[in-house]
Amino acid sequence: MSTMKERLHADVVAHIKDGNRVALTTVRNVLGEIETREKSGKAPIELDDSQVTALLQKEAAQRHDTARVYKDAGQEDRAAAELAEAEVIQAYLPQPLTTAEVETIVDQVIEALNADGVELSVRHMGEVMKPVTARVAGRFDGKAVSEMVRSRLA
């Protein structure tokens, strides 16, 4: 299976062949942001798929925020362009989880920890959050997950 960056690079070629200028520009901008992140700092790094996914989520959120600003300013065409870019970026993101799916994951983790003989309380929040966060992996709002865990442990 190819990495997310390899998929983005391959899609640049596909968008050139298709003549899809919006998707081409968006993917190139995202790749530029990835390269900037990799080269910034004292030593160059290589972003893994989870880091690239987090960056894509941030980029999509920025496009939505910018579109909202343009819409409030009465610039519908620019808002539509930002939303089109956000759609291109969201095509690379994993499918979000439903609230019920996340609740099931939280319950499974809590049951597994209880099975190990640990009596859980709010003090064990970090012990529960670590495996839950790993399984949810950017497919659900982290704050909402935290609130779910806190309510289950209270």
Side-chain angles (χ1 to χ4, degrees), residues 3-4 36 41 64 73-74 81 96 106 116 123 141 147 154:
T3 66
M4 183 72 75
T36 300
H64 284 289
V106 169
D116 291 340
R123 296 176 125 189
D141 179 46
E147 290 171 4

Side-chain angles (χ1 to χ4, degrees), residues 1-12 31 49 52:
M1 186 171 151
S2 64
T3 66
M4 183 72 75
K5 286 190 327 187
E6 290 170 346
R7 182 176 165 207
L8 288 165
H9 282 290
D11 285 352
V12 166
L31 283 169
D49 278 354
V52 171

Side-chain angles (χ1 to χ4, degrees), residues 8 10 24 29 34 36 39 44 62 74 92 105 119 136 141 149:
L8 288 165
L24 175 64
N29 287 341
I34 291 170
T36 300
K39 293 177 183 175
Q62 281 180 339
Y92 293 97
I105 291 170
E119 186 62 36
V136 171
D141 179 46
V149 170

Side-chain angles (χ1 to χ4, degrees), residues 57-125:
Q57 288 172 330
K58 180 181 171 197
E59 290 291 318
Q62 281 180 339
R63 299 302 194 289
H64 284 289
D65 290 343
T66 304
R68 189 171 33 256
V69 169
Y70 281 142
K71 190 170 185 157
D72 291 345
Q75 297 182 6
E76 299 294 329
D77 55 332
R78 292 178 102 176
E82 290 292 328
L83 291 175
E85 287 185 14
E87 283 182 28
V88 170
I89 294 169
Q90 287 172 328
Y92 293 97
L93 296 174
Q95 288 292 78
L97 295 172
T98 64
T99 303
E101 291 171 326
V102 175
E103 288 173 345
T104 302
I105 291 170
V106 169
D107 291 339
Q108 289 171 347
V109 169
I110 290 174
E111 286 175 24
L113 290 171
N114 279 336
D116 291 340
V118 178
E119 186 62 36
L120 297 176
S121 67
V122 178
R123 296 176 125 189
H124 298 94
M125 181 101 173

